Amino acid sequence: MGEFDLIARFFKRPVRRAALGVGDDCALLAPGAGMHLAVSSDMLVEGRHFFPDVYPAHLGHKALAVNLSDLAACGARPLAFTLALALPRADEAWLQGFSEGLLALADAHGCELVGGDTTQGPLNICITVFGEVPAGQALLRSSARAGDDLWVSGHLGDARLALDALQGQVPVQLPPPVLAQARERLERPTPRVALGQALRGLASSAIDVSDGLVGDLGHILRASGVGARIDTTLAPQLMAACAGHAPENLPYGWENLLRCVLAGGDDYELLFTAPPARRAAVEAAARQAGTRVTCIGAMEAEPGLRLLDAQGRPLSAQYLAFDHFR
């Protein structure tokens, strides 16, 4: 199977919204009048972002999900994407699973594959995604204000718990159902696309949680010139694997829980701010999007991040976000 046979068999599809898709030197997109084009790229590298034994369908899903999450954080509606794929060999069974997982998520969000590139080499997946957002309505990192509520969608920490368990770094053995659920969060994250669009006009700033809550919040703090406080007693409510466990009886240990929730990464949830007067509207938007949200703190005028315990005292421990070069 040659390169162009591979593209035609697994990735060439008719487009419905794009003006021109796979097959020419360039794809052609036509955003609606008064819309801005939102563009983002992410790369997944074997051994760095995923285990070699990951199910191909799960990998296809995640490769697009992490890009759709960036659109969600901007409040954009997905339009199309390109795929650059380096493969050690043209493995038909692997390509079948990968393309099915990739295109199923694409279809669920009306996001068309319109081009890309293939080559032989170490397994590497790079997707560039395109979306549209009404001019002036994009969610940015730079618009948080002191006094805003700090919210997060869904759950945090389960992906890191799965990674630690698979690498033998969890203090206790995870029950198989818990590990399966956590690994699902690691390998098949849910991009909060509907929530991102529902938050337009409500959220003052937003970012997706890819490298860890503390680190990604730091981008908002720096861009907006504000500080923040987080109530760390909410951590057990944020990790799905802790459901049903009292805070004083956590099976994974309090410090391990905080590390996973605050600095775990690979969550792909939305972290956003909004004025307190919009709390009811934020909760209504979350219900509309079918996504839970939790208010975990507030923005403050004093620079820096303060992680507070049950008595309102700052924690002494530091939690660092993932950094590829640290």
PDB file of all heavy atoms in Angstrom, residues 285-317:
ATOM      1  N   ALA A 285     -25.500  27.531  31.568  1.00  0.00           N
ATOM      2  CA  ALA A 285     -24.743  27.206  30.355  1.00  0.00           C
ATOM      3  C   ALA A 285     -24.141  25.807  30.451  1.00  0.00           C
ATOM      4  O   ALA A 285     -24.122  25.053  29.473  1.00  0.00           O
ATOM      5  CB  ALA A 285     -23.649  28.244  30.133  1.00  0.00           C
ATOM      6  N   ALA A 286     -23.665  25.456  31.640  1.00  0.00           N
ATOM      7  CA  ALA A 286     -23.087  24.126  31.838  1.00  0.00           C
ATOM      8  C   ALA A 286     -24.153  23.041  31.680  1.00  0.00           C
ATOM      9  O   ALA A 286     -23.905  21.990  31.069  1.00  0.00           O
ATOM     10  CB  ALA A 286     -22.431  24.048  33.219  1.00  0.00           C
ATOM     11  N   ARG A 287     -25.330  23.292  32.227  1.00  0.00           N
ATOM     12  CA  ARG A 287     -26.427  22.318  32.057  1.00  0.00           C
ATOM     13  C   ARG A 287     -26.789  22.171  30.585  1.00  0.00           C
ATOM     14  O   ARG A 287     -27.017  21.067  30.091  1.00  0.00           O
ATOM     15  CB  ARG A 287     -27.648  22.752  32.873  1.00  0.00           C
ATOM     16  CG  ARG A 287     -27.489  22.584  34.379  1.00  0.00           C
ATOM     17  CD  ARG A 287     -28.825  22.732  35.084  1.00  0.00           C
ATOM     18  NE  ARG A 287     -29.395  24.075  34.926  1.00  0.00           N
ATOM     19  CZ  ARG A 287     -29.148  25.089  35.738  1.00  0.00           C
ATOM     20  NH1 ARG A 287     -28.327  24.933  36.771  1.00  0.00           N
ATOM     21  NH2 ARG A 287     -29.716  26.262  35.538  1.00  0.00           N
ATOM     22  N   GLN A 288     -26.837  23.297  29.894  1.00  0.00           N
ATOM     23  CA  GLN A 288     -27.145  23.274  28.460  1.00  0.00           C
ATOM     24  C   GLN A 288     -26.116  22.443  27.698  1.00  0.00           C
ATOM     25  O   GLN A 288     -26.458  21.711  26.751  1.00  0.00           O
ATOM     26  CB  GLN A 288     -27.163  24.705  27.924  1.00  0.00           C
ATOM     27  CG  GLN A 288     -27.319  24.813  26.421  1.00  0.00           C
ATOM     28  CD  GLN A 288     -27.073  26.243  25.926  1.00  0.00           C
ATOM     29  OE1 GLN A 288     -27.261  27.208  26.655  1.00  0.00           O
ATOM     30  NE2 GLN A 288     -26.625  26.372  24.687  1.00  0.00           N
ATOM     31  N   ALA A 289     -24.848  22.543  28.117  1.00  0.00           N
ATOM     32  CA  ALA A 289     -23.772  21.814  27.447  1.00  0.00           C
ATOM     33  C   ALA A 289     -23.612  20.388  27.970  1.00  0.00           C
ATOM     34  O   ALA A 289     -22.788  19.633  27.453  1.00  0.00           O
ATOM     35  CB  ALA A 289     -22.455  22.573  27.628  1.00  0.00           C
ATOM     36  N   GLY A 290     -24.372  20.018  28.998  1.00  0.00           N
ATOM     37  CA  GLY A 290     -24.282  18.674  29.556  1.00  0.00           C
ATOM     38  C   GLY A 290     -22.969  18.410  30.262  1.00  0.00           C
ATOM     39  O   GLY A 290     -22.470  17.282  30.260  1.00  0.00           O
ATOM     40  N   THR A 291     -22.407  19.444  30.890  1.00  0.00           N
ATOM     41  CA  THR A 291     -21.099  19.331  31.539  1.00  0.00           C
ATOM     42  C   THR A 291     -21.167  19.917  32.941  1.00  0.00           C
ATOM     43  O   THR A 291     -21.666  21.037  33.115  1.00  0.00           O
ATOM     44  CB  THR A 291     -20.022  20.098  30.737  1.00  0.00           C
ATOM     45  OG1 THR A 291     -20.002  19.607  29.407  1.00  0.00           O
ATOM     46  CG2 THR A 291     -18.646  19.918  31.358  1.00  0.00           C
ATOM     47  N   ARG A 292     -20.667  19.213  33.933  1.00  0.00           N
ATOM     48  CA  ARG A 292     -20.628  19.759  35.279  1.00  0.00           C
ATOM     49  C   ARG A 292     -19.539  20.821  35.375  1.00  0.00           C
ATOM     50  O   ARG A 292     -18.505  20.740  34.684  1.00  0.00           O
ATOM     51  CB  ARG A 292     -20.384  18.669  36.328  1.00  0.00           C
ATOM     52  CG  ARG A 292     -19.092  17.928  36.184  1.00  0.00           C
ATOM     53  CD  ARG A 292     -18.817  17.035  37.388  1.00  0.00           C
ATOM     54  NE  ARG A 292     -17.904  17.672  38.327  1.00  0.00           N
ATOM     55  CZ  ARG A 292     -17.675  17.231  39.556  1.00  0.00           C
ATOM     56  NH1 ARG A 292     -18.316  16.166  40.015  1.00  0.00           N
ATOM     57  NH2 ARG A 292     -16.824  17.852  40.349  1.00  0.00           N
ATOM     58  N   VAL A 293     -19.746  21.809  36.214  1.00  0.00           N
ATOM     59  CA  VAL A 293     -18.733  22.820  36.491  1.00  0.00           C
ATOM     60  C   VAL A 293     -18.653  23.015  38.000  1.00  0.00           C
ATOM     61  O   VAL A 293     -19.648  22.822  38.710  1.00  0.00           O
ATOM     62  CB  VAL A 293     -19.030  24.172  35.795  1.00  0.00           C
ATOM     63  CG1 VAL A 293     -18.916  24.046  34.289  1.00  0.00           C
ATOM     64  CG2 VAL A 293     -20.391  24.723  36.197  1.00  0.00           C
ATOM     65  N   THR A 294     -17.475  23.391  38.478  1.00  0.00           N
ATOM     66  CA  THR A 294     -17.251  23.607  39.900  1.00  0.00           C
ATOM     67  C   THR A 294     -16.511  24.915  40.096  1.00  0.00           C
ATOM     68  O   THR A 294     -15.498  25.160  39.437  1.00  0.00           O
ATOM     69  CB  THR A 294     -16.401  22.463  40.505  1.00  0.00           C
ATOM     70  OG1 THR A 294     -17.021  21.208  40.217  1.00  0.00           O
ATOM     71  CG2 THR A 294     -16.261  22.625  42.020  1.00  0.00           C
ATOM     72  N   CYS A 295     -17.022  25.754  40.989  1.00  0.00           N
ATOM     73  CA  CYS A 295     -16.321  26.989  41.348  1.00  0.00           C
ATOM     74  C   CYS A 295     -15.272  26.617  42.392  1.00  0.00           C
ATOM     75  O   CYS A 295     -15.613  26.138  43.476  1.00  0.00           O
ATOM     76  CB  CYS A 295     -17.294  28.021  41.887  1.00  0.00           C
ATOM     77  SG  CYS A 295     -16.513  29.621  42.250  1.00  0.00           S
ATOM     78  N   ILE A 296     -14.001  26.813  42.072  1.00  0.00           N
ATOM     79  CA  ILE A 296     -12.915  26.342  42.932  1.00  0.00           C
ATOM     80  C   ILE A 296     -12.147  27.471  43.605  1.00  0.00           C
ATOM     81  O   ILE A 296     -11.211  27.213  44.370  1.00  0.00           O
ATOM     82  CB  ILE A 296     -11.919  25.468  42.144  1.00  0.00           C
ATOM     83  CG1 ILE A 296     -11.287  26.264  40.994  1.00  0.00           C
ATOM     84  CG2 ILE A 296     -12.596  24.202  41.638  1.00  0.00           C
ATOM     85  CD1 ILE A 296     -10.143  25.515  40.306  1.00  0.00           C
ATOM     86  N   GLY A 297     -12.525  28.719  43.336  1.00  0.00           N
ATOM     87  CA  GLY A 297     -11.793  29.819  43.944  1.00  0.00           C
ATOM     88  C   GLY A 297     -12.186  31.139  43.336  1.00  0.00           C
ATOM     89  O   GLY A 297     -13.298  31.297  42.802  1.00  0.00           O
ATOM     90  N   ALA A 298     -11.285  32.096  43.426  1.00  0.00           N
ATOM     91  CA  ALA A 298     -11.575  33.439  42.933  1.00  0.00           C
ATOM     92  C   ALA A 298     -10.292  34.123  42.499  1.00  0.00           C
ATOM     93  O   ALA A 298      -9.189  33.773  42.948  1.00  0.00           O
ATOM     94  CB  ALA A 298     -12.272  34.266  44.016  1.00  0.00           C
ATOM     95  N   MET A 299     -10.455  35.096  41.640  1.00  0.00           N
ATOM     96  CA  MET A 299      -9.336  35.914  41.195  1.00  0.00           C
ATOM     97  C   MET A 299      -9.136  37.068  42.177  1.00  0.00           C
ATOM     98  O   MET A 299     -10.103  37.587  42.758  1.00  0.00           O
ATOM     99  CB  MET A 299      -9.597  36.457  39.792  1.00  0.00           C
ATOM    100  CG  MET A 299     -10.059  35.405  38.789  1.00  0.00           C
ATOM    101  SD  MET A 299      -8.972  33.968  38.694  1.00  0.00           S
ATOM    102  CE  MET A 299      -7.579  34.696  37.815  1.00  0.00           C
ATOM    103  N   GLU A 300      -7.883  37.473  42.366  1.00  0.00           N
ATOM    104  CA  GLU A 300      -7.544  38.516  43.331  1.00  0.00           C
ATOM    105  C   GLU A 300      -6.612  39.542  42.704  1.00  0.00           C
ATOM    106  O   GLU A 300      -5.892  39.239  41.740  1.00  0.00           O
ATOM    107  CB  GLU A 300      -6.880  37.900  44.564  1.00  0.00           C
ATOM    108  CG  GLU A 300      -7.785  36.904  45.278  1.00  0.00           C
ATOM    109  CD  GLU A 300      -7.144  36.270  46.497  1.00  0.00           C
ATOM    110  OE1 GLU A 300      -5.906  36.061  46.472  1.00  0.00           O
ATOM    111  OE2 GLU A 300      -7.868  35.985  47.461  1.00  0.00           O
ATOM    112  N   ALA A 301      -6.616  40.728  43.268  1.00  0.00           N
ATOM    113  CA  ALA A 301      -5.752  41.785  42.749  1.00  0.00           C
ATOM    114  C   ALA A 301      -4.286  41.500  43.052  1.00  0.00           C
ATOM    115  O   ALA A 301      -3.399  41.847  42.258  1.00  0.00           O
ATOM    116  CB  ALA A 301      -6.169  43.135  43.334  1.00  0.00           C
ATOM    117  N   GLU A 302      -4.001  40.895  44.197  1.00  0.00           N
ATOM    118  CA  GLU A 302      -2.617  40.606  44.578  1.00  0.00           C
ATOM    119  C   GLU A 302      -2.052  39.532  43.647  1.00  0.00           C
ATOM    120  O   GLU A 302      -2.633  38.449  43.508  1.00  0.00           O
ATOM    121  CB  GLU A 302      -2.554  40.127  46.014  1.00  0.00           C
ATOM    122  CG  GLU A 302      -1.145  39.813  46.492  1.00  0.00           C
ATOM    123  CD  GLU A 302      -1.113  39.237  47.897  1.00  0.00           C
ATOM    124  OE1 GLU A 302      -2.184  39.196  48.547  1.00  0.00           O
ATOM    125  OE2 GLU A 302      -0.026  38.817  48.332  1.00  0.00           O
ATOM    126  N   PRO A 303      -0.902  39.778  43.010  1.00  0.00           N
ATOM    127  CA  PRO A 303      -0.327  38.786  42.091  1.00  0.00           C
ATOM    128  C   PRO A 303       0.000  37.472  42.803  1.00  0.00           C
ATOM    129  O   PRO A 303       0.176  37.426  44.025  1.00  0.00           O
ATOM    130  CB  PRO A 303       0.951  39.470  41.592  1.00  0.00           C
ATOM    131  CG  PRO A 303       0.721  40.928  41.817  1.00  0.00           C
ATOM    132  CD  PRO A 303      -0.118  41.021  43.052  1.00  0.00           C
ATOM    133  N   GLY A 304       0.083  36.394  42.023  1.00  0.00           N
ATOM    134  CA  GLY A 304       0.456  35.096  42.561  1.00  0.00           C
ATOM    135  C   GLY A 304      -0.745  34.209  42.807  1.00  0.00           C
ATOM    136  O   GLY A 304      -1.898  34.644  42.762  1.00  0.00           O
ATOM    137  N   LEU A 305      -0.462  32.938  43.057  1.00  0.00           N
ATOM    138  CA  LEU A 305      -1.492  31.935  43.303  1.00  0.00           C
ATOM    139  C   LEU A 305      -1.383  31.447  44.735  1.00  0.00           C
ATOM    140  O   LEU A 305      -0.300  31.065  45.184  1.00  0.00           O
ATOM    141  CB  LEU A 305      -1.336  30.757  42.333  1.00  0.00           C
ATOM    142  CG  LEU A 305      -2.253  29.564  42.566  1.00  0.00           C
ATOM    143  CD1 LEU A 305      -3.725  29.958  42.449  1.00  0.00           C
ATOM    144  CD2 LEU A 305      -1.927  28.433  41.586  1.00  0.00           C
ATOM    145  N   ARG A 306      -2.506  31.407  45.440  1.00  0.00           N
ATOM    146  CA  ARG A 306      -2.548  30.933  46.814  1.00  0.00           C
ATOM    147  C   ARG A 306      -3.446  29.695  46.882  1.00  0.00           C
ATOM    148  O   ARG A 306      -4.636  29.765  46.548  1.00  0.00           O
ATOM    149  CB  ARG A 306      -3.061  32.047  47.737  1.00  0.00           C
ATOM    150  CG  ARG A 306      -2.013  33.138  47.953  1.00  0.00           C
ATOM    151  CD  ARG A 306      -2.602  34.455  48.325  1.00  0.00           C
ATOM    152  NE  ARG A 306      -3.285  35.121  47.221  1.00  0.00           N
ATOM    153  CZ  ARG A 306      -2.640  35.773  46.230  1.00  0.00           C
ATOM    154  NH1 ARG A 306      -1.316  35.828  46.218  1.00  0.00           N
ATOM    155  NH2 ARG A 306      -3.316  36.376  45.267  1.00  0.00           N
ATOM    156  N   LEU A 307      -2.861  28.575  47.291  1.00  0.00           N
ATOM    157  CA  LEU A 307      -3.575  27.318  47.467  1.00  0.00           C
ATOM    158  C   LEU A 307      -3.918  27.199  48.944  1.00  0.00           C
ATOM    159  O   LEU A 307      -3.015  27.089  49.789  1.00  0.00           O
ATOM    160  CB  LEU A 307      -2.708  26.141  47.023  1.00  0.00           C
ATOM    161  CG  LEU A 307      -2.176  26.205  45.583  1.00  0.00           C
ATOM    162  CD1 LEU A 307      -1.205  25.064  45.319  1.00  0.00           C
ATOM    163  CD2 LEU A 307      -3.329  26.178  44.581  1.00  0.00           C
ATOM    164  N   LEU A 308      -5.216  27.233  49.286  1.00  0.00           N
ATOM    165  CA  LEU A 308      -5.651  27.342  50.670  1.00  0.00           C
ATOM    166  C   LEU A 308      -6.184  26.012  51.194  1.00  0.00           C
ATOM    167  O   LEU A 308      -6.868  25.270  50.492  1.00  0.00           O
ATOM    168  CB  LEU A 308      -6.737  28.412  50.790  1.00  0.00           C
ATOM    169  CG  LEU A 308      -6.362  29.800  50.247  1.00  0.00           C
ATOM    170  CD1 LEU A 308      -7.510  30.771  50.474  1.00  0.00           C
ATOM    171  CD2 LEU A 308      -5.077  30.306  50.880  1.00  0.00           C
ATOM    172  N   ASP A 309      -5.872  25.725  52.479  1.00  0.00           N
ATOM    173  CA  ASP A 309      -6.370  24.519  53.128  1.00  0.00           C
ATOM    174  C   ASP A 309      -7.712  24.796  53.783  1.00  0.00           C
ATOM    175  O   ASP A 309      -8.319  25.872  53.594  1.00  0.00           O
ATOM    176  CB  ASP A 309      -5.345  23.984  54.135  1.00  0.00           C
ATOM    177  CG  ASP A 309      -5.097  24.935  55.309  1.00  0.00           C
ATOM    178  OD1 ASP A 309      -5.887  25.883  55.504  1.00  0.00           O
ATOM    179  OD2 ASP A 309      -4.108  24.722  56.043  1.00  0.00           O
ATOM    180  N   ALA A 310      -8.205  23.842  54.593  1.00  0.00           N
ATOM    181  CA  ALA A 310      -9.536  23.959  55.186  1.00  0.00           C
ATOM    182  C   ALA A 310      -9.647  25.140  56.146  1.00  0.00           C
ATOM    183  O   ALA A 310     -10.750  25.655  56.383  1.00  0.00           O
ATOM    184  CB  ALA A 310      -9.898  22.670  55.913  1.00  0.00           C
ATOM    185  N   GLN A 311      -8.530  25.583  56.706  1.00  0.00           N
ATOM    186  CA  GLN A 311      -8.523  26.726  57.616  1.00  0.00           C
ATOM    187  C   GLN A 311      -8.227  28.040  56.896  1.00  0.00           C
ATOM    188  O   GLN A 311      -8.061  29.084  57.532  1.00  0.00           O
ATOM    189  CB  GLN A 311      -7.493  26.515  58.738  1.00  0.00           C
ATOM    190  CG  GLN A 311      -7.900  25.491  59.787  1.00  0.00           C
ATOM    191  CD  GLN A 311      -7.861  24.067  59.253  1.00  0.00           C
ATOM    192  OE1 GLN A 311      -6.890  23.677  58.589  1.00  0.00           O
ATOM    193  NE2 GLN A 311      -8.898  23.296  59.534  1.00  0.00           N
ATOM    194  N   GLY A 312      -8.132  27.983  55.562  1.00  0.00           N
ATOM    195  CA  GLY A 312      -7.848  29.186  54.808  1.00  0.00           C
ATOM    196  C   GLY A 312      -6.393  29.584  54.819  1.00  0.00           C
ATOM    197  O   GLY A 312      -6.048  30.707  54.442  1.00  0.00           O
ATOM    198  N   ARG A 313      -5.513  28.658  55.213  1.00  0.00           N
ATOM    199  CA  ARG A 313      -4.082  28.944  55.264  1.00  0.00           C
ATOM    200  C   ARG A 313      -3.419  28.462  53.974  1.00  0.00           C
ATOM    201  O   ARG A 313      -3.779  27.410  53.445  1.00  0.00           O
ATOM    202  CB  ARG A 313      -3.440  28.245  56.459  1.00  0.00           C
ATOM    203  CG  ARG A 313      -3.992  28.688  57.813  1.00  0.00           C
ATOM    204  CD  ARG A 313      -3.469  27.833  58.932  1.00  0.00           C
ATOM    205  NE  ARG A 313      -3.788  26.422  58.708  1.00  0.00           N
ATOM    206  CZ  ARG A 313      -3.753  25.492  59.662  1.00  0.00           C
ATOM    207  NH1 ARG A 313      -3.411  25.800  60.895  1.00  0.00           N
ATOM    208  NH2 ARG A 313      -4.055  24.235  59.377  1.00  0.00           N
ATOM    209  N   PRO A 314      -2.418  29.202  53.490  1.00  0.00           N
ATOM    210  CA  PRO A 314      -1.722  28.779  52.271  1.00  0.00           C
ATOM    211  C   PRO A 314      -0.947  27.482  52.486  1.00  0.00           C
ATOM    212  O   PRO A 314      -0.333  27.275  53.549  1.00  0.00           O
ATOM    213  CB  PRO A 314      -0.763  29.951  51.988  1.00  0.00           C
ATOM    214  CG  PRO A 314      -1.315  31.099  52.746  1.00  0.00           C
ATOM    215  CD  PRO A 314      -1.971  30.517  53.961  1.00  0.00           C
ATOM    216  N   LEU A 315      -0.972  26.593  51.494  1.00  0.00           N
ATOM    217  CA  LEU A 315      -0.169  25.378  51.547  1.00  0.00           C
ATOM    218  C   LEU A 315       1.299  25.730  51.329  1.00  0.00           C
ATOM    219  O   LEU A 315       1.620  26.630  50.547  1.00  0.00           O
ATOM    220  CB  LEU A 315      -0.609  24.385  50.479  1.00  0.00           C
ATOM    221  CG  LEU A 315      -2.061  23.896  50.511  1.00  0.00           C
ATOM    222  CD1 LEU A 315      -2.268  22.854  49.414  1.00  0.00           C
ATOM    223  CD2 LEU A 315      -2.422  23.330  51.867  1.00  0.00           C
ATOM    224  N   SER A 316       2.172  24.998  51.991  1.00  0.00           N
ATOM    225  CA  SER A 316       3.601  25.241  51.800  1.00  0.00           C
ATOM    226  C   SER A 316       4.153  24.481  50.597  1.00  0.00           C
ATOM    227  O   SER A 316       5.158  24.874  50.006  1.00  0.00           O
ATOM    228  CB  SER A 316       4.382  24.832  53.061  1.00  0.00           C
ATOM    229  OG  SER A 316       4.128  23.468  53.375  1.00  0.00           O
ATOM    230  N   ALA A 317       3.491  23.382  50.225  1.00  0.00           N
ATOM    231  CA  ALA A 317       3.970  22.568  49.109  1.00  0.00           C
ATOM    232  C   ALA A 317       3.782  23.304  47.792  1.00  0.00           C
ATOM    233  O   ALA A 317       2.860  24.106  47.625  1.00  0.00           O
ATOM    234  CB  ALA A 317       3.234  21.232  49.071  1.00  0.00           C
TER     235      ALA A 317
END
